[in-house]
Amino acid sequence: MTTNLARPAALLSGADMSHTRAEDGVPALTMSDGPNGLAMNLPDWSGKVPATCFPAPAALAATWDVDLVAEVAAAIGREARAAGADVLLGPSINIKRSPLGGRGFEYYSEDPFLTGRIGAAFVDGVQSAGVGACVKHFAVNSQETDRMRVSAEVSERALREIYLAAFEHVVAHAAPAMIMASYNRVNGTYVTQDRRILTDILRGEWGFDGAVVSDWGAVDDRVAALRAGLDLEMPGPGEGSLRRILAAVEDDELDASVVVEAADRLRRVATTWGARPASTPDHEEHHRLAVNAAAASVVLLSNDGVLPLAPTGGQIAVIGQLARTPHIQGGGSASAAPTRVDTPLDGLRAVLERPVGFAAGYSTDPALQESLVDEAVRVARGSDVAVVFLGPGEGSESEGYDRASLELPAAQLDLLARIREVNERTVVVLVNGGIVLTAPWSDGVAALVEGWLPGQGGGAAIAQVLTGAVNPSGRLAETIPLRLSDTPAFASFPGHGGRVFHGEGIFVGYRGYDLAEREVAFPFGHGLSYTQFAYEDVLVIDDGAQSGDPVIEFTVRNVGAVAGAEVWQVYVRPEPLTEDRPVRTLAAFGKVHLEPGASARIRSTVASRDFARWDERRDGWVVDDGTYALDIGASSRDIRTETTVRRVASGPRTVLDGRSTLREWLTDPSVGTSLVHVAQDADPSGATAGFLANPTILTMIGDLPIERLFDDPSTALGPDLLSRALQHATVHEEQNDGL
Ligand code: BGC
C-alpha cells in the first residue's frame, strides 16, 4: 500500500525553500512572502526581487479603506505573478495583543472586526490578480518572544471573539487558497498538530476548502500534524517526514485516506493557482498607488491649526535624519526590495514654493549628537514652522524579536524639547510601525502626525498631507496608550517558562482600556481632518425583526471648508452593560469622501453575529436578550449619535446535568421554573420547592454542583427530578412555540 502512497505523500512536503513538488499534470507551486509588497528571494539568496514596497500592513489598516487595500493587494498580486509566484504568503492577520509585539507593523489591528475586513479585502485583491493568498499565522501568534514554542494560554471565549474571528471572516468571505499554521502552541498543543483548530473549526465549522501549510519549520511531529489537518510541511524537501508518514501508514498508526485527502487538497490548490500566465506590472503606476495608499494611511493625531502648510511663506525647517533617510518598512520575511524610495525632504521641497531648510538632528553616533542638535536648533530658530521626523528607526521592529520599548529614543525627545524652545510652531511626524508613546511630550507640539512605516511612496505622501494636497483621512487601528503599563496585556506579555497567559481574555486593545475606564493618549478609531464632519438623522430602517441583521441610516455632512474623507464607525454597546461584555465593539465602518457642504446618507447593516458573545458553557455564539445601543461616531471615544435595537435571545441551549451548579439550574430561563414546579409535585411537603426558592440558599450554595445534594434526605433532588424538570421545560416550550 505504501508504494501507492509514495506519490501523494511526496506532495506533502515542499521541494525546497519556496516550492511544492510537481506531479504529472499538476504544477509545482511557487510561494513568496509579501504582505506589503512582493518579498521574493533571488535564486542565489543575495537579495530580493525588486518590487513596489507599499505601506506596512499596520499603515494599510489605518486607511480603513477596503477598496484601497484590495487595489494595493491586486498590484502586489500582479508583481507576484510577473515574478512567477503562484501563492503570496500574506496577509498577516494576527491580533495586536500588545504593542510590544515585534510584528505589530505587519499586523493590522487590535480589533478583529477591522482586521477581518482589511484581511478579506487583501485576499480578494491578491486573488483577483490570479495569485492565491495564504492567510497567516493561524493562530494566536501575537508575539515574537519564544515564538516557535511558546504556548498561548487563552480562554475559548477570547480565542473565538478575538484571535480566531478575523480568520473566520476571511475564510468565509474571501476563500483564500491557503492558511498558514503558526509556530506557537495554543493551550499546550502546537497549532500544527491541533486537530480541533485545523480541522474541526477551520474546515468543519468555517468550511475552508483550501490547503493548510506550516509556517517555515513549524512542524514538530509530521504524522501528528497530518492527522490534525496540516497538508503541506514547509520548507522541503522533508525526506525524513516522507519516511515517517509512510512508516506510520505501514504500522497502522495513520490512515492512508488522511494522506490521500491532504494530497488531493494540495493538488486542487496547485491546479487552481499554479502555472498561470505571467503579467507585466506597471511599476510607475504601482508607485503612484503606493503614494496614494501611504497618504490615505496618515493619521492626523492633533493639530492646533498649523497644518496644512501654506505653499508660500517663510522657511520650513525639516528636522530629523528620518526625513532624508526614510525608514519605510519593518524587518523580516515581509521586507521587500523597493523599486525606488521617495524621501520626505525631497517630497516637501518638490511641493513647497518656500525655502526648506534641513538638519539631521540626531544620529546613532552619540559623539555627534550635541553638534547635530545645535545645528537643528539653528535651522528651526527663525523658521516659520519646524517639521520634526521622529521614530525608533531601522531594526526597531522586526519579525523574530519583540520591541524593547514603546518610547522614542531619548536623544530624539531631547532634540524635540530644544526645537520647541525656539519654535512654537513645531510639527512632529512619527515614523513607526506599531504605535509609539506620545505622552507627555505631544502636549507641547502644534501638530502631531502619525506617518507609519509608509513604504516607498511615503516621502511624497507625507508632503501631500502636510501641505493639504491630500486631506488626512487615516484612523488609528490601534490605541495609543498613555503608558506601557496601561496596556491590557502588560502583566503577562510575553510570558515565561514557555507559556503566555492571556489573562486579559477578550479585553484586548480598546476593549481593555474601556473596561478599565483608562484615559488614553489617542483612542482606537481616532484621526483628524482639515475639515469637520457632522452626524445627523440616525434612523433604524429595519430592526432585523429581532433576530435578523438590523439596518440603520444616518447622514454624514462635511461642515468644514475643504473636501475630505470621514471614516464613520458603528459600535455595539449592550444596555445595560454586564461586566463580561466590552463597553463597545466595532460592528461596521466605512469611508466617505465629501466636498465642503456635501452630505451622504449612510446605510449600514450590523450583522446579528456582532451582537453575540461566545458562551463557553453553551459552546457557541449566544445573543443575550435585551437592548443594544448602536453608537455611531468618529472614533471609539468620539460618539456623535446613537440609536438602539432590541435582540431576542438566541444560540445553543445550555446543557444542564448533575455537574451544573444549583444556580445554573435555577437561573436557566426555561428550566429554572420547571425545576421548582416538578419539585412541588415530587415532594408535596413543599420542602424541596421551598429549599429551591429560598434566596439565602442560592446566595450561600448556589455554586454547588447540584449532584452533591442528591444524598441529602431533606430534599427530593436527584437525577430523576432533574430529568423531569428538563422534560417539563421542553414540553412547556413546545406549547409556547405552538401559540
Ligand atoms: C514567517 C512567515 C513567512 C515564512 C516564509 C516565517 O519565518 O513567520 O511569515 O511567510 O517564514 O518566509
Side-chain angles (χ1 to χ4, degrees), residues 33 89 103 106 136-137 147 180 183 215-216 333 399:
D33 281 305
L89 303 175
R103 287 180 105 164
E106 195 181 327
K136 63 192 187 182
H137 310 86
R147 70 169 166 152
M180 184 188 292
Y183 288 119
D215 199 344
W216 269 229
S333 59
E399 173 182 342

Side-chain angles (χ1 to χ4, degrees), residues 91 143 185 190 200 211 246 258 325 377 384 406 501 536 541 630 642 670 677:
Q143 68 182 60
R185 293 178 288 163
Y190 281 109
D200 300 348
L246 295 176
V258 176
T325 317
V377 167
D384 181 30
L406 302 181
F501 289 93
E536 303 159 355
I541 298 297
L630 297 176
E642 65 169 270
S670 58
H677 186 88

